[in-house]
Amino acid sequence: MVSAELSLYPLTQDYSEPVVRFIQLLRSQAGIEVATNGLSTQLVGTYDDVMAALTVAMRPTIEGRATCSFVIKLLNVRVVPGKSLGVD
């Protein structure tokens, strides 16, 4: 299992529409759990499922006209949003 935390920053006046569309695409992907907050979106699933979901959801933004920035953190453990993670 892996966890990913990502933020999308569209560098445009109408920044909310690309973010909402991106989150909707993520939520439509099978095999992953998706949680959102005001600053980021968290995904949990197998590596293959998370990476496939990111590919599908990011492609329209990357190929779109607006300049954007994605910030992504990947962890090789399952992180439940809102819970503490113990470090060995």
Side-chain angles (χ1 to χ4, degrees):
M1 296 296 281
V2 300
S3 301
E5 180 180 48
L6 56 146
S7 299
L8 165 58
Y9 301 102
L11 305 177
T12 180
Q13 292 287 341
D14 181 24
Y15 60 87
S16 62
E17 191 267 329
V19 171
V20 170
R21 187 174 57 227
F22 172 69
I23 292 170
Q24 289 171 336
L25 279 170
L26 281 175
R27 288 184 174 157
S28 72
Q29 302 306 301
I32 61 168
E33 298 173 45
V34 179
T36 59
N37 62 44
L39 296 176
S40 65
T41 300
Q42 295 85 35
L43 310 177
V44 177
T46 66
Y47 177 82
D48 289 339
D49 288 341
V50 167
M51 297 311 286
L54 287 174
T55 298
V56 168
M58 290 173 66
R59 185 176 305 277
T61 303
I62 294 294
E63 292 178 347
R65 296 181 53 132
T67 301
C68 65
S69 171
F70 280 98
V71 177
I72 303 171
K73 294 181 259 182
L74 291 171
L75 292 88
N76 65 345
V77 295
R78 176 183 171 80
V79 176
V80 178
K83 298 288 185 181
S84 296
L85 175 65
V87 178
D88 294 335

